[in-house]
Amino acid sequence: MAVRFGYTLMTEQAGPRQLVADAVRAEAAGFDFEVSSDHYFPWLSSQGHAPYAWTVLGAVAQATERVELMTYVTCPTIRYHPAIVAQKAATLQILAEGRFTLGLGSGENLNEHVVGEGWPAVGDRQLMLVEAIEIIRALHEGGLLDYRGEFFQVDSAKIWDLPDEGVPIGVAVAGERAISEFAPIADHLIATEPDPSLVSMWNDVEGAPTIGAPARAIGQIPICWDRDRDAARERAHDQFRWFGGGWDVNSDLRTTAGFAAATQFITPDDVAGSIPCGPDLDEIVEAMSAYWKAGFTDIALVQVGAESQQAFFDEAAQPLLEKLRSAAA
C-alpha cells in the first residue's frame, strides 16, 4: 500500500470559512486526504478558534471532489451520544459520496467537560467507547435499534438516510490495552506517535484487519513551515507548545488556562526540538519519515498557524508532497 499524505483542518486555529477555503487549497495542492479535529476548546487561547467540526466537514464535502475526509478524532461518549454520531456520520458520508471515514477516540477533558457529565477514568472511557462503536455499527446496519449497555441506552432508534458504502471507522489507540480492545472492532488504526510496536501489536490481535491490507495506520505530525525560521519557531511556541505534554497530560487538563500553566516553562527551543520549524523541506520529510518507517500507511501534517496557510500552499505544499512521495516510494 503506497503511503498517502494528508492535510489537517485544525479547527483550533482557524475559523470555519478559512477551514473550508484551506480544504479546497489542500485538494488543489495534491493532498490525498484531509482530517479534521473536533474540539469545543482550542488547546491554547492564542489559537483562538473552535468551530463545530461537523458543519465544517459538511461544507468541505460539497466544496471538494477528490480528497478523502476524516474526523481526527471525535469522542462519541460524553459531549455526543453515539446514536447522534451514527446519524451525522451517515449524513456526512452521503454528502461526501463515500469519501468519509469516522475517526473515533476516548476524548479529552478539555472538550468533554462542557456538558457537565464529569470526566471518567481512562478504563471507563475505553469501555464507553466500545459500547459507542457497537451502537454506531448497529445503527449503520439499518433497522430499529434498542440497546441497553452499562453506559448507554438507545430506544427505538433508526438512521433513515444511510450511505450505500457504509462508514468505515478508525480508532485512536496508544497502547497494548487499547489495541487489544479496539483492533477487532475497528477498520483502521489512528495514532499520534510513530511507534512501530503499535502496528505490530495491532496485526497480532486475532480478528483485527491487517495494517496495509485492508486496514490503514493513520498518523499525524505538526510542522511549522515558514520562510523565516525564527518566525516559525515563535509561532510554533505560541500556538503548539501544548503538543509536548503527552497523552497522559493532554487528556486530563480541563481548560486553556490549564494548558498555559502546564507549558509556561517550555521554550521555543524545546518546541523546535520536536516540531520541524522553518523553510527546510528536507527537515520536514525526515521528521515525517518516522511514520512510514514505523509501518504507517497514511500521514497527515498540521501546518501551525492560521495566518501561515496561504503562504504554505503557495510556496511549500506541492514541492513538499513531491519530496515526500519520492522518499516514501
Side-chain angles (χ1 to χ4, degrees), residues 72-122:
Y72 201 98
V73 292
T74 283
C75 176
T77 59
I78 301 174
R79 185 168 39 121
Y80 307 135
H81 190 284
I84 304 305
V85 174
Q87 182 191 33
K88 57 190 178 183
T91 298
L92 184 54
Q93 184 69 299
I94 292 170
L95 291 172
E97 298 181 306
R99 293 183 285 136
F100 176 63
T101 295
L102 177 60
L104 299 176
S106 56
E108 302 100 12
N109 197 5
L110 178 71
N111 302 300
E112 307 309 314
H113 80 270
V114 297
V115 294
E117 295 295 325
W119 183 235
V122 63

Coordinates of all heavy atoms in Angstrom, one line a residue, residues 72-122:
Y72 N -10.6 13.5 13.2 CA -9.3 13.1 13.8 C -9.2 13.8 15.1 O -8.4 14.7 15.2 CB -8.2 13.4 12.8 CG -6.9 12.6 13.1 CD1 -6.6 11.5 12.3 CD2 -6.0 13.0 14.1 CE1 -5.4 10.8 12.5 CE2 -4.8 12.3 14.3 CZ -4.5 11.2 13.5 OH -3.4 10.5 13.7
V73 N -9.9 13.4 16.2 CA -10.9 12.4 16.2 C -12.1 12.9 17.0 O -12.0 13.9 17.7 CB -10.4 11.0 16.8 CG1 -9.4 10.3 16.0 CG2 -9.9 11.3 18.2
T74 N -13.2 12.2 16.8 CA -14.4 12.5 17.5 C -14.6 11.6 18.7 O -14.3 10.4 18.6 CB -15.7 12.3 16.6 OG1 -15.7 13.5 15.7 CG2 -17.0 12.2 17.4
C75 N -15.0 12.2 19.8 CA -15.3 11.3 21.0 C -16.8 11.1 21.1 O -17.6 12.1 21.3 CB -14.8 12.1 22.3 SG -15.3 11.2 23.8
P76 N -17.3 9.9 20.9 CA -18.7 9.6 20.8 C -19.4 9.2 22.1 O -20.3 8.4 22.1 CB -18.8 8.5 19.8 CG -17.6 7.7 20.1 CD -16.5 8.7 20.6
T77 N -18.9 9.7 23.2 CA -19.3 9.1 24.5 C -19.9 10.1 25.5 O -20.7 9.8 26.4 CB -18.2 8.4 25.2 OG1 -17.1 9.3 25.4 CG2 -17.7 7.2 24.3
I78 N -19.5 11.4 25.5 CA -19.9 12.3 26.5 C -20.5 13.6 25.9 O -21.7 13.8 26.1 CB -18.7 12.7 27.4 CG1 -18.1 11.5 28.1 CG2 -19.1 13.7 28.5 CD1 -16.8 11.7 28.9
R79 N -19.8 14.3 25.2 CA -20.3 15.5 24.5 C -21.4 15.1 23.5 O -22.3 15.9 23.2 CB -19.2 16.3 23.9 CG -19.6 17.6 23.3 CD -18.3 18.5 23.0 NE -17.2 17.7 22.5 CZ -16.6 17.9 21.3 NH1 -17.0 18.8 20.5 NH2 -15.6 17.2 21.0
Y80 N -21.1 14.0 22.8 CA -22.1 13.5 21.8 C -22.5 12.1 22.3 O -21.7 11.3 22.7 CB -21.4 13.3 20.5 CG -20.7 14.5 19.9 CD1 -19.5 14.3 19.3 CD2 -21.3 15.7 19.8 CE1 -18.8 15.4 18.7 CE2 -20.7 16.8 19.2 CZ -19.4 16.6 18.6 OH -18.8 17.6 18.0
H81 N -23.8 11.8 22.1 CA -24.3 10.4 22.3 C -24.0 9.7 21.0 O -24.1 10.2 19.9 CB -25.8 10.4 22.5 CG -26.4 9.1 23.0 ND1 -26.6 8.1 22.1 CD2 -26.8 8.7 24.2 CE1 -27.1 7.0 22.7 NE2 -27.2 7.4 24.0
P82 N -23.6 8.4 21.2 CA -23.2 7.6 20.0 C -24.3 7.5 18.9 O -24.0 7.4 17.7 CB -22.8 6.2 20.5 CG -23.3 6.2 21.9 CD -23.3 7.6 22.4
A83 N -25.6 7.5 19.3 CA -26.6 7.4 18.3 C -26.6 8.7 17.4 O -27.0 8.6 16.2 CB -28.0 7.3 19.0
I84 N -26.3 9.8 18.0 CA -26.2 11.1 17.2 C -25.0 11.0 16.3 O -25.0 11.5 15.2 CB -26.2 12.3 18.2 CG1 -27.4 12.3 19.1 CG2 -26.1 13.6 17.4 CD1 -28.7 12.2 18.4
V85 N -23.9 10.5 16.8 CA -22.7 10.4 16.0 C -23.0 9.5 14.8 O -22.6 9.7 13.7 CB -21.5 9.9 16.8 CG1 -20.3 9.6 15.9 CG2 -21.1 10.9 17.9
A86 N -23.7 8.4 15.0 CA -24.1 7.5 13.9 C -24.9 8.2 12.9 O -24.7 8.0 11.7 CB -24.9 6.3 14.5
Q87 N -25.8 9.1 13.3 CA -26.6 9.8 12.3 C -25.8 10.8 11.5 O -25.9 10.9 10.3 CB -27.8 10.5 13.1 CG -28.7 11.3 12.1 CD -29.6 12.2 12.9 OE1 -29.3 12.8 13.9 NE2 -30.9 12.4 12.4
K88 N -25.0 11.6 12.2 CA -24.3 12.6 11.4 C -23.2 12.0 10.6 O -22.9 12.6 9.5 CB -23.8 13.7 12.4 CG -22.8 13.3 13.5 CD -22.6 14.5 14.4 CE -21.8 14.2 15.6 NZ -21.7 15.4 16.5
A89 N -22.6 10.9 11.0 CA -21.6 10.2 10.2 C -22.2 9.7 8.9 O -21.6 9.8 7.8 CB -20.9 9.1 11.0
A90 N -23.4 9.1 9.0 CA -24.1 8.6 7.9 C -24.4 9.8 6.9 O -24.3 9.6 5.7 CB -25.4 7.9 8.3
T91 N -24.9 10.9 7.4 CA -25.3 12.0 6.6 C -24.0 12.6 5.9 O -24.1 12.9 4.7 CB -25.9 13.1 7.4 OG1 -27.1 12.6 8.0 CG2 -26.2 14.4 6.6
L92 N -22.9 12.7 6.6 CA -21.7 13.2 6.0 C -21.2 12.3 4.9 O -20.7 12.7 3.9 CB -20.6 13.4 7.1 CG -19.3 14.1 6.6 CD1 -19.6 15.4 5.9 CD2 -18.4 14.3 7.8
Q93 N -21.3 11.0 5.2 CA -20.8 10.0 4.1 C -21.6 10.2 2.8 O -21.1 10.1 1.7 CB -20.9 8.6 4.6 CG -20.4 7.5 3.7 CD -18.9 7.6 3.6 OE1 -18.3 8.6 3.1 NE2 -18.2 6.5 4.0
I94 N -22.9 10.4 3.0 CA -23.7 10.7 1.8 C -23.3 11.9 1.1 O -23.1 12.0 -0.2 CB -25.2 10.7 2.1 CG1 -25.7 9.4 2.6 CG2 -26.1 11.2 1.0 CD1 -27.1 9.4 3.2
L95 N -23.1 13.0 1.8 CA -22.6 14.3 1.2 C -21.3 14.1 0.6 O -21.0 14.7 -0.5 CB -22.6 15.4 2.3 CG -23.9 15.9 2.8 CD1 -23.7 16.8 4.0 CD2 -24.7 16.6 1.7
A96 N -20.4 13.3 1.2 CA -19.0 13.1 0.7 C -19.0 12.1 -0.4 O -17.9 11.8 -1.0 CB -18.1 12.8 1.8
E97 N -20.1 11.4 -0.7 CA -20.1 10.4 -1.7 C -19.1 9.3 -1.5 O -18.4 8.9 -2.4 CB -20.0 11.0 -3.1 CG -21.1 12.0 -3.5 CD -21.0 12.6 -4.9 OE1 -19.9 13.1 -5.2 OE2 -22.0 12.5 -5.6
G98 N -19.0 8.8 -0.3 CA -18.2 7.7 0.1 C -16.8 8.0 0.4 O -16.0 7.1 0.6
R99 N -16.4 9.3 0.6 CA -15.1 9.7 0.9 C -14.8 9.9 2.4 O -13.6 10.2 2.8 CB -14.7 11.1 0.2 CG -14.7 11.0 -1.3 CD -14.4 12.3 -1.9 NE -15.4 13.3 -1.8 CZ -15.3 14.6 -1.5 NH1 -14.1 15.1 -1.2 NH2 -16.4 15.4 -1.5
F100 N -15.7 9.6 3.3 CA -15.6 9.9 4.7 C -15.2 8.6 5.5 O -15.8 7.6 5.3 CB -16.8 10.5 5.2 CG -16.8 10.8 6.7 CD1 -15.9 11.7 7.3 CD2 -17.7 10.1 7.6 CE1 -15.9 11.9 8.6 CE2 -17.7 10.3 8.9 CZ -16.8 11.2 9.5
T101 N -14.3 8.8 6.5 CA -14.0 7.8 7.5 C -14.3 8.4 8.8 O -13.8 9.6 9.1 CB -12.5 7.4 7.4 OG1 -12.3 6.7 6.2 CG2 -12.2 6.4 8.6
L102 N -14.9 7.7 9.7 CA -15.2 8.2 11.1 C -14.1 7.8 12.0 O -13.9 6.7 12.3 CB -16.6 7.6 11.5 CG -17.0 7.9 13.0 CD1 -17.2 9.4 13.2 CD2 -18.3 7.1 13.3
G103 N -13.3 8.8 12.4 CA -12.2 8.6 13.3 C -12.7 8.9 14.7 O -13.3 9.9 15.0
L104 N -12.6 7.9 15.6 CA -13.1 8.0 17.0 C -12.0 7.8 18.0 O -10.9 7.2 17.7 CB -14.1 6.8 17.2 CG -15.3 6.8 16.3 CD1 -16.2 5.6 16.6 CD2 -16.2 8.1 16.5
G105 N -12.2 8.4 19.2 CA -11.3 8.3 20.3 C -12.0 8.5 21.6 O -13.2 8.8 21.6
S106 N -11.3 8.2 22.7 CA -11.9 8.3 24.0 C -11.9 9.7 24.6 O -12.4 9.9 25.7 CB -11.2 7.4 25.0 OG -9.8 7.7 25.0
G107 N -11.4 10.7 23.9 CA -11.6 12.1 24.2 C -10.6 12.7 25.1 O -9.7 12.1 25.6
E108 N -10.8 14.1 25.3 CA -10.1 14.9 26.2 C -11.0 15.6 27.1 O -12.1 16.1 26.7 CB -9.1 15.8 25.5 CG -8.2 15.2 24.5 CD -8.6 15.3 23.1 OE1 -9.6 16.1 22.8 OE2 -8.1 14.7 22.3
N109 N -10.6 15.8 28.4 CA -11.4 16.6 29.3 C -11.7 18.0 28.8 O -12.7 18.6 29.0 CB -10.7 16.6 30.7 CG -11.5 17.0 31.8 OD1 -12.7 17.2 31.7 ND2 -10.9 17.2 33.0
L110 N -10.7 18.5 28.1 CA -10.8 19.9 27.6 C -12.1 20.1 26.8 O -12.7 21.2 26.9 CB -9.6 20.1 26.6 CG -9.5 21.5 25.9 CD1 -9.1 22.6 26.9 CD2 -8.4 21.4 24.8
N111 N -12.5 19.1 26.1 CA -13.7 19.3 25.2 C -15.0 18.6 25.8 O -16.1 19.1 25.6 CB -13.5 18.6 23.9 CG -12.3 19.2 23.2 OD1 -12.2 20.4 22.9 ND2 -11.3 18.4 22.9
E112 N -14.8 17.6 26.6 CA -16.0 16.8 27.1 C -16.6 17.4 28.3 O -17.7 17.1 28.6 CB -15.6 15.3 27.2 CG -14.9 14.7 26.0 CD -15.7 14.9 24.7 OE1 -17.0 14.7 24.7 OE2 -15.1 15.3 23.7
H113 N -15.8 18.1 29.1 CA -16.3 18.6 30.4 C -17.5 19.6 30.2 O -18.2 19.8 31.2 CB -15.2 19.3 31.2 CG -14.9 20.7 30.8 ND1 -14.0 21.0 29.8 CD2 -15.4 21.9 31.2 CE1 -13.9 22.3 29.7 NE2 -14.8 22.9 30.5
V114 N -17.6 20.2 29.0 CA -18.6 21.3 28.9 C -20.0 20.9 29.1 O -20.9 21.8 29.4 CB -18.4 21.9 27.5 CG1 -17.0 22.5 27.3 CG2 -18.7 21.0 26.4
V115 N -20.4 19.6 29.0 CA -21.8 19.2 29.2 C -22.1 18.8 30.6 O -23.2 18.4 30.9 CB -22.1 18.1 28.2 CG1 -22.1 18.6 26.8 CG2 -21.3 16.9 28.4
G116 N -21.1 18.9 31.5 CA -21.3 18.8 32.9 C -21.5 17.3 33.3 O -22.1 17.1 34.4
E117 N -21.0 16.4 32.6 CA -21.2 15.0 32.9 C -20.0 14.3 33.6 O -20.0 13.1 33.8 CB -21.6 14.2 31.7 CG -22.9 14.5 31.0 CD -24.1 14.2 31.9 OE1 -24.0 13.2 32.7 OE2 -25.0 15.0 31.9
G118 N -19.0 15.2 33.9 CA -17.8 14.7 34.6 C -16.8 14.1 33.6 O -17.1 14.0 32.4
W119 N -15.7 13.6 34.1 CA -14.6 13.1 33.3 C -14.2 11.7 33.9 O -13.5 11.6 34.9 CB -13.4 14.0 33.3 CG -12.3 13.6 32.4 CD1 -11.0 13.4 32.8 CD2 -12.4 13.3 31.0 NE1 -10.3 13.0 31.7 CE2 -11.1 12.9 30.6 CE3 -13.4 13.2 30.1 CZ2 -10.8 12.6 29.3 CZ3 -13.1 12.9 28.8 CH2 -11.8 12.5 28.4
P120 N -14.7 10.6 33.3 CA -14.4 9.3 33.8 C -12.9 8.9 33.8 O -12.1 9.5 33.0 CB -15.2 8.4 32.9 CG -16.2 9.3 32.1 CD -15.5 10.6 32.0
A121 N -12.6 7.9 34.5 CA -11.2 7.3 34.5 C -11.0 6.7 33.1 O -12.0 6.3 32.4 CB -11.0 6.3 35.6
V122 N -9.7 6.5 32.7 CA -9.4 6.0 31.4 C -10.0 4.7 31.1 O -10.5 4.4 30.0 CB -7.9 6.0 31.2 CG1 -7.2 5.1 32.1 CG2 -7.6 5.7 29.7

